[in-house]
Amino acid sequence: AQSVAQPEDQVNVAEGNPLTVKCTYSVSGNPYLFWYVQYPNRGLQFLLKYITGDNLVKGSYGFEAEFNKSQTSFHLKKPSALVSDSALYFCAVRVGNTGGFKTIFGAGTRLFVKA
Amino acid sequence: EAGVVQSPRYKIIEKKQPVAFWCNPISGHNTLYWYLQNLGQGPELLIRYENEEAVDDSQLPKDRFSAERLKGVDSTLKIQPAELGDSAVYLCASSAGTSGGEETQYFGPGTRLLVL
C-alpha cells in the first residue's frame, strides 16, 4: 500500500535554532512531493514541492526540503526557526500517471517554536 | 488574485439533517477537489473534478454524500442525512491544468461541520 509517514506528532524547537520536520514515503514509481502548512482555522498553504532536478528545494518563508531517493525521505528544514512558524505541517505525495494522479497526505506534525 | 472561497465557514446541525457546502475555485483552475479532514489527521480525498467531470469519486460515500460542478466552476458538496461521524473539516482545493501530477493544489479555508 502506498503511504506517507510523518514519524513525529510534535516537534519542539527554540527560536533561532534550526528545525527539521521529517517525512518518509512508500510508493511505487517516481513521486511528486509537497509540503503544506496549516495555521489554526485556515486551509493548507503550499510551501514547496519537488518534481525533478536538484534534490534541495527552496520554498516560502525560508523553508527548504531535501529529496533523498535512497532513503525515500523528503524532510522539511529551516536554518533559523521563528515563533510564527508554529503550525501544523503536512507532507504529501502525488503518485500516478497520465490516467490520473492521487495525493496522499501524512498525518501532520505540529511544530512548536518557543521564544 | 482571490484564493479558493468556501462557505459557510462553520455549520452546526442536528443529526439526520441535510447540509451543503459551496466552493468557488481560483479563476481558471480546471481541477477541483473536495477533501475531508478529521481532527489531527491529514486531508483525505472525497472527489476530484476535471472541469465538470468527476474523475475520481471512489472515496465518496455515495449513500449519503453527493457533489456537483455543473458548469465546471463552482462546486457543491452535500450530505443527506448527516451523521455524528461526519463532524470534520471539509476542504476544497483547486489546481490549474488536468492530469498532470506536478501542479500545486491551492486550498480554501474549509468548512467546519459539527453534527449534534
Side-chain angles (χ1 to χ4, degrees):
Chain A
Q2 306 193 97
S3 62
V4 176
Q6 293 183 241
E8 302 155 315
D9 291 336
Q10 183 172 310
V11 170
N12 298 311
V13 64
E15 188 174 34
N17 284 359
L19 69 88
T20 298
V21 182
K22 296 180 180 177
C23 173
T24 60
Y25 61 91
S26 175
V27 301
S28 56
N30 295 316
Y32 300 127
L33 299 156
F34 299 78
W35 275 102
Y36 287 86
V37 60
Q38 187 175 34
Y39 296 98
N41 299 316
R42 302 282 295 277
L44 278 68
Q45 296 179 35
F46 169 73
L47 280 179
L48 51 80
K49 64 182 176 182
Y50 173 82
I51 304 301
T52 187
D54 193 348
N55 289 342
L56 185 64
V57 179
K58 295 186 182 296
S60 306
Y61 312 120
F63 284 93
E64 59 188 28
E66 186 167 12
F67 170 60
N68 188 317
K69 187 173 184 178
S70 62
Q71 297 186 5
T72 61
S73 67
F74 190 55
H75 301 331
L76 181 70
K77 300 180 180 182
K78 187 173 182 180
S80 179
L82 300 173
V83 172
S84 58
D85 292 331
S86 299
L88 189 56
Y89 290 81
F90 290 98
C91 179
V93 176
R94 291 206 86 191
V95 293
N97 50 48
T98 53
F101 283 84
K102 183 177 181 68
T103 304
I104 304 168
F105 285 87
T109 298
R110 190 166 296 281
L111 173 66
F112 286 99
V113 181
K114 185 177 180 181
Chain B
E1 178 182 281
V4 176
V5 179
Q6 289 187 249
S7 69
R9 291 295 311 278
Y10 305 92
K11 189 74 176 180
I12 301 175
I13 61 171
E14 294 187 347
K15 63 180 180 183
K16 301 184 181 179
Q17 294 299 305
V19 65
F21 314 125
W22 175 79
C23 173
N24 179 244
I26 292 173
S27 177
H29 280 193
N30 299 323
T31 305
L32 183 146
Y33 314 77
W34 282 104
Y35 285 93
L36 168 69
Q37 186 179 21
N38 286 306
L39 187 64
Q41 298 188 21
E44 299 173 18
L45 181 70
L46 289 171
I47 189 168
R48 174 168 64 95
Y49 282 93
E50 289 185 4
N51 299 305
E52 63 274 8
E53 182 182 0
V55 295
D56 185 355
D57 64 354
S58 58
Q59 301 303 310
L60 188 72
K62 298 181 182 66
D63 56 335
R64 297 185 301 108
F65 286 65
S66 64
E68 60 183 15
R69 192 185 186 200
L70 293 176
K71 296 183 178 180
V73 181
D74 295 2
S75 177
T76 303
L77 177 69
K78 297 179 181 178
I79 308 175
Q80 182 171 8
E83 297 179 352
L84 296 177
D86 295 332
S87 296
V89 176
Y90 292 82
L91 295 168
C92 179
S94 69
S95 64
T98 59
S99 301
E102 69 271 19
E103 73 268 16
T104 299
Q105 296 177 46
Y106 294 90
F107 285 80
T111 296
R112 185 174 297 272
L113 174 68
L114 178 60
V115 182
L116 301 176

